Amino acid sequence: MPKFYPSIGEAIGAAMQHNIRLAHGGEASGSDTPLQVRHLPHPSADPYSVPGMIARLTETATPDEVAGIIEEVNGALVGALPQLTELVAAAADWTRARLTFDNPHHNPTFKTWTRLAAATRLLRDVQEELGVAEDMVAACPAELSDPKYRDEVPVLRTRELLSDVLGDDAIADIKPSAAQNPEADRQRAARASSPHAATQRATPSAGTTSEPPATAPPPRSPRTR
């Protein structure tokens, strides 16, 4: 099972097949090395993560809330976008350390650096645009407009995040519990992804008790300008 997949659909499909094998006590085929399962927390688990901020940025959010979210994602020290920019810049610098110009007609390393450098410049431009947009958000009305006006501009969200693909309930089902050990968490996640999971949930055993509802995310502190 490779670490990377060309599409999120293939990644989810492979993860579900692996979880089904775990639920039935099977081993992962095709490799002697056991798969490393990466836990993806529910957006509500961290409202200041990128998935958490996306979940908070709904159509009914107030202009001040939206400006605060943009400020969080674009913050100079801990913002997700500046960190991503530095990551791409670091990749460009890694390529720079391997540049040679011995053959002027064939230099794939320089072409790679050019791409990464261009991506870095674009990300820095995005930071500037978001900084301006943050100040402009306050002038937007808090009330929703007539839906007929929305057809004039396209929807930009792709809805390709894991929480969008699987839905909130599916991710909540595999949310880990502090009272369980990692092996129990892994088996529970496997059972939740199994085709028999729906039948098992429909006919619970007598000793099974429902889990308490998830707590609401903590309120964000007032934004300082």
Side-chain angles (χ1 to χ4, degrees), residues 128-215:
E128 295 181 5
E129 293 290 343
L130 280 182
V132 176
E134 179 189 338
D135 296 330
M136 297 174 65
V137 163
C140 296
E143 300 78 14
L144 293 176
S145 61
D146 193 312
K148 66 181 181 181
Y149 298 113
R150 304 173 196 175
D151 295 335
E152 300 296 328
V153 294
V155 175
L156 299 181
R157 274 215 63 192
T158 59
R159 304 281 178 181
E160 290 185 350
L161 295 180
L162 185 64
S163 57
D164 296 321
V165 175
L166 296 182
D168 291 341
D169 293 338
I171 297 183
D173 287 342
I174 62 174
K175 196 172 176 183
S177 172
Q180 294 178 322
N181 57 51
E183 179 62 23
D185 290 342
R186 188 180 67 156
Q187 292 295 334
R188 186 165 62 92
R191 289 193 296 270
S193 301
S194 172
H196 303 287
T199 304
Q200 293 172 355
R201 284 194 293 266
T203 58
S205 60
T208 302
T209 58
S210 59
E211 295 183 358
T215 57

Side-chain angles (χ1 to χ4, degrees), residues 49-225:
S49 65
V50 173
M53 287 187 284
I54 293 175
R56 288 159 50 200
L57 211 163
T58 62
E59 288 184 346
T60 56
T62 65
D64 184 67
E65 289 172 338
V66 176
I69 292 172
I70 294 177
E71 184 180 40
E72 290 164 9
V73 78
N74 206 34
L77 296 178
V78 297
L81 182 56
Q83 292 184 52
L84 175 61
T85 304
E86 288 299 303
L87 173 64
V88 177
D93 291 342
W94 180 91
T95 310
R96 174 181 174 271
R98 288 153 177 79
L99 286 175
T100 60
F101 296 96
D102 297 334
N103 188 344
H105 303 292
H106 182 71
N107 199 332
T109 304
F110 179 69
K111 291 181 180 179
T112 304
W113 177 88
T114 301
R115 294 283 187 177
L116 292 171
T120 303
R121 288 191 294 268
L122 289 173
L123 287 171
R124 287 173 178 162
D125 290 342
V126 172
Q127 292 183 51
E128 295 181 5
E129 293 290 343
L130 280 182
V132 176
E134 179 189 338
D135 296 330
M136 297 174 65
V137 163
C140 296
E143 300 78 14
L144 293 176
S145 61
D146 193 312
K148 66 181 181 181
Y149 298 113
R150 304 173 196 175
D151 295 335
E152 300 296 328
V153 294
V155 175
L156 299 181
R157 274 215 63 192
T158 59
R159 304 281 178 181
E160 290 185 350
L161 295 180
L162 185 64
S163 57
D164 296 321
V165 175
L166 296 182
D168 291 341
D169 293 338
I171 297 183
D173 287 342
I174 62 174
K175 196 172 176 183
S177 172
Q180 294 178 322
N181 57 51
E183 179 62 23
D185 290 342
R186 188 180 67 156
Q187 292 295 334
R188 186 165 62 92
R191 289 193 296 270
S193 301
S194 172
H196 303 287
T199 304
Q200 293 172 355
R201 284 194 293 266
T203 58
S205 60
T208 302
T209 58
S210 59
E211 295 183 358
T215 57
R220 185 178 65 86
S221 58
R223 184 167 59 93
T224 57
R225 300 303 302 274

